[in-house]
């Protein structure tokens, strides 16, 4: 995303937990601290796992607030909608509305980020969202879905569908393999029918090869599905699939597979059924 924004705008200032030599070579400027970063920009895109990681950068002598003037923070994490709204209220109160939030979670994975084809879910005030949409345009399709937190609700819905799909794909792969089918041929055929999806297109090779080397790590689904459950509770929705999905991904992480790609559902189902067979035989 940083590469695409830099290419489109011609300038970018970055701060990260690790050095970013490719960005610097491409022309980005480096900020040594969050304070320095906030002092040099008026729009800041934060791509971190959740709000606690962002909040850890806000305070202290070298924190973002120490250097911020008028600053719009774009929150790209998959987070709780109420917690995003609460953080925005705290920041506005601390800074007399100089520091504000727009939530902008994304979907599409690393391949979507590299190709500029992300789906970007925006929530916030109209004026601030218009600024955010302009900044994020090189990264994909940005759509304003409602007030602050709306993007997080949409992302929770997205993750509900993604988690259900990848679990079904993993389970179906195990069923087909144990039945002697050619996995590549099967998924090539089924991708043209109702079972087809962008998720299948992006994970087909991994599922066929049994490759779950990390890309979009599976453990993040645990928090994402928790946020979806919070929305279900707050809207009085008696979810059908959500409890089963939460149990499955909790179990997957407990089995030590959480740091693998979400295509690890194939291995999870295979090892789970093998463990069940062993228990029955004993």
């Amino acid at each position: 995303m940083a590469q695409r924004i830099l290419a489109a705008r011609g300038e970018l200032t970055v701060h990260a937990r690790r050095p970013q030599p490719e960005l610097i070579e491409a022309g980005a400027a480096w900020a040594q601290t969050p304070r320095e970063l906030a002092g040099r920009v008026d729009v800041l895109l934060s791509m971190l796992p959740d709000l606690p990681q962002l909040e850890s950068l806000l305070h202290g002598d070298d924190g973002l607030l120490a250097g911020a003037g008028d600053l719009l923070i774009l929150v790209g994490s998959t987070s709780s909608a109420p917690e995003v709204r609460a953080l925005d209220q705290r920041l506005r109160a601390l800074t007399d509305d100089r520091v504000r939030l727009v939530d902008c979670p994304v979907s599409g994975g690393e391949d979507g980020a590299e190709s500029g084809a992300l789906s970007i879910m925006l929530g916030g005030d109209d004026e601030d969202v218009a600024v955010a949409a302009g900044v994020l345009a090189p990264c994909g399709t940005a759509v304003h879905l409602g007030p602050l937190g709306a993007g997080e609700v949409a992302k929770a819905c997205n993750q509900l569908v993604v988690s259900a799909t990848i679990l079904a794909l993993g389970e179906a792969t195990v069923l087909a393999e144990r039945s002697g089918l050619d996995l590549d041929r099967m998924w090539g055929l089924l991708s043209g029918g109702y079972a087809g999806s962008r998720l299948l297109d992006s994970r087909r090779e991994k599922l066929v090869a049994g490759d779950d080397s990390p890309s979009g790590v599976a453990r993040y689904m645990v928090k994402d599905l928790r946020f979806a459950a919070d929305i279900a509770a707050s809207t009085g929705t008696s979810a059908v699939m959500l409890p089963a999905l939460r149990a499955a991904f909790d179990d997957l992480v407990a089995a030590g597979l959480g740091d693998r790609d979400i295509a690890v559902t194939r291995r999870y189902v295979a090892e789970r059924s093998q463990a069940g067979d062993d228990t029955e035989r004993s």
Side-chain angles (χ1 to χ4, degrees), residues 144-213:
H144 188 189
L145 297 170
L148 189 67
E152 300 297 354
V153 174
K155 183 60 184 288
C157 294
N158 181 84
Q159 296 303 82
L160 172 60
V161 173
V162 170
S163 61
T165 303
I166 196 62
L167 187 59
L169 290 173
E171 191 163 300
T173 300
V174 173
L175 292 175
E177 179 190 33
R178 292 182 176 178
S179 299
L181 275 65
D182 183 306
L183 294 178
D184 189 53
R185 288 185 178 183
M186 184 192 78
W187 285 128
L189 175 65
L190 298 188
S191 65
Y194 283 157
S197 65
R198 288 191 63 184
L199 186 59
L200 174 55
D201 292 342
S202 72
R203 293 304 193 274
R204 175 178 161 183
E205 291 183 5
K206 282 181 172 291
L207 288 165
V208 170
D211 172 18
D212 49 47
S213 55

Side-chain angles (χ1 to χ4, degrees), residues 227-243:
F227 298 144
D230 291 343
I231 295 167
S234 68
T235 57
T237 303
S238 181
V240 176
M241 295 186 65
L242 188 52

Side-chain angles (χ1 to χ4, degrees), residues 34-258:
R35 176 177 182 168
E36 181 182 347
L37 177 65
R40 295 169 63 178
V41 303
D42 54 8
V43 179
L44 188 153
L45 172 60
S46 167
M47 295 302 297
L48 294 165
D50 201 356
L51 293 183
Q53 291 80 13
L54 173 59
E55 295 203 54
S56 71
L57 302 177
L58 289 171
H59 304 287
D61 292 342
D62 285 327
L64 291 169
L65 294 181
D70 187 82
L71 182 64
L72 179 62
I73 300 178
L74 314 184
V75 181
S77 60
T78 301
S79 300
S80 160
E83 289 175 11
V84 167
R85 291 191 285 265
L87 177 58
D88 178 69
Q89 292 173 357
R90 293 198 303 272
L91 292 177
R92 286 177 179 269
L94 284 170
T95 65
D96 295 325
D97 287 341
R98 288 183 296 106
V99 178
R100 309 168 309 284
L101 300 184
V102 163
D103 56 315
C104 63
V106 304
S107 180
E110 289 185 12
D111 49 344
E114 290 174 357
S115 64
L118 292 172
S119 295
I120 305 169
M121 300 156 246
L122 296 174
D125 296 341
D126 289 347
E127 186 175 343
D128 286 339
V129 165
V131 173
V135 169
L136 295 170
C139 302
T141 301
V143 176
H144 188 189
L145 297 170
L148 189 67
E152 300 297 354
V153 174
K155 183 60 184 288
C157 294
N158 181 84
Q159 296 303 82
L160 172 60
V161 173
V162 170
S163 61
T165 303
I166 196 62
L167 187 59
L169 290 173
E171 191 163 300
T173 300
V174 173
L175 292 175
E177 179 190 33
R178 292 182 176 178
S179 299
L181 275 65
D182 183 306
L183 294 178
D184 189 53
R185 288 185 178 183
M186 184 192 78
W187 285 128
L189 175 65
L190 298 188
S191 65
Y194 283 157
S197 65
R198 288 191 63 184
L199 186 59
L200 174 55
D201 292 342
S202 72
R203 293 304 193 274
R204 175 178 161 183
E205 291 183 5
K206 282 181 172 291
L207 288 165
V208 170
D211 172 18
D212 49 47
S213 55
S215 175
V217 295
R219 62 184 167 85
Y220 288 152
M221 278 296 180
V222 172
K223 73 174 179 67
D224 297 352
L225 292 172
R226 174 167 57 84
F227 298 144
D230 291 343
I231 295 167
S234 68
T235 57
T237 303
S238 181
V240 176
M241 295 186 65
L242 188 52
L245 292 169
R246 292 190 72 192
F249 278 90
D250 284 347
D251 189 43
L252 185 153
V253 171
L257 302 175

